[in-house]
Amino acid sequence: MTTLDYAVLNLQYMSSLSYSFEEFSNDLERTADGIFRRAVPPLCPECGVLMSRNGYNAYCKKYIGGIKMGRYICPCCGESLEDDRSFWEELKKGLFDVLDVFYHQLRFYAVPYQGISAIMKLVFPRGKTTIYDAFTESVEKPYIPPVDYSSIVHYDEQHLKINGTQKFRLTLLDDATGRPIADELYDNKDSETIKAFLAK
Ligand SMILES: [Zn+2]
């Protein structure tokens, strides 16, 4: 198994991260020099010819480790292909999900981001800005329910003088919350205007 080369694995809590890569990459074999690749090279997606091995691409993540993914090239059309590394992405996501749990617990006890960063140094170094971003990202946006207006509304009219001109401000207010439902400025307040306002 490829090692996750960090003290993270010393933590009981993190033991779930020590699962073997094979769990994620059943179709892949690991060579003696650590390359994940298919036992038999794939067929070219373009022309269907058996592809040739063509070295590897390396992916590293600081404090976690790295992997090498097999590459292939088509001897006919030159098309290139790399093995699927989604298991690597899954592994990283699993780790960062665990870190989010840390941040949530520490924030719950009002540890400032700088303090969390100092603690994380012992486990998995993270800057306070990184922690802040991860925490903010992982906190669900609060759900604000739509306002239910009660069935009782209040009608209000104000007589205003704006630049010497008489204006009328008509307002409908919700009885329960006092929130304005409608609020318009008119030149007069004859019954037609008020009817038009109420009909809106
Ligand atoms: Zn080809």
Side-chain angles (χ1 to χ4, degrees), residues 147-155 171-182:
V147 179
D148 274 340
Y149 289 108
S150 60
S151 51
I152 302 169
V153 293
H154 294 283
Y155 171 78
T171 309
L172 283 182
L173 296 163
D174 180 59
D175 175 60
T177 62
R179 286 168 193 265
I181 297 168

Side-chain angles (χ1 to χ4, degrees), residues 27 48 76 84 116 130 135-136 146 161 171 177 188-189 200:
D27 298 338
C76 262
D84 174 28
I116 299 176
T130 308
F135 176 76
T136 318
K161 271 253 162 54
T171 309
T177 62
N188 60 63
K189 63 176 191 80
K200 273 197 175 182

Side-chain angles (χ1 to χ4, degrees), residues 13-32:
Y13 193 55
M14 298 256 188
S15 63
S16 65
L17 286 171
S18 65
Y19 31 43
S20 70
F21 279 81
E22 284 74 15
E23 229 174 276
F24 293 95
S25 53
N26 351 352
D27 298 338
L28 304 178
E29 60 173 21
R30 187 169 174 270
T31 65

Side-chain angles (χ1 to χ4, degrees), residues 43-49 51 73-79:
L43 300 178
C44 172
E46 290 299 317
C47 66
V49 169
M51 299 183 93
I73 187 157
C74 175
C76 262
C77 71
E79 174 79 5

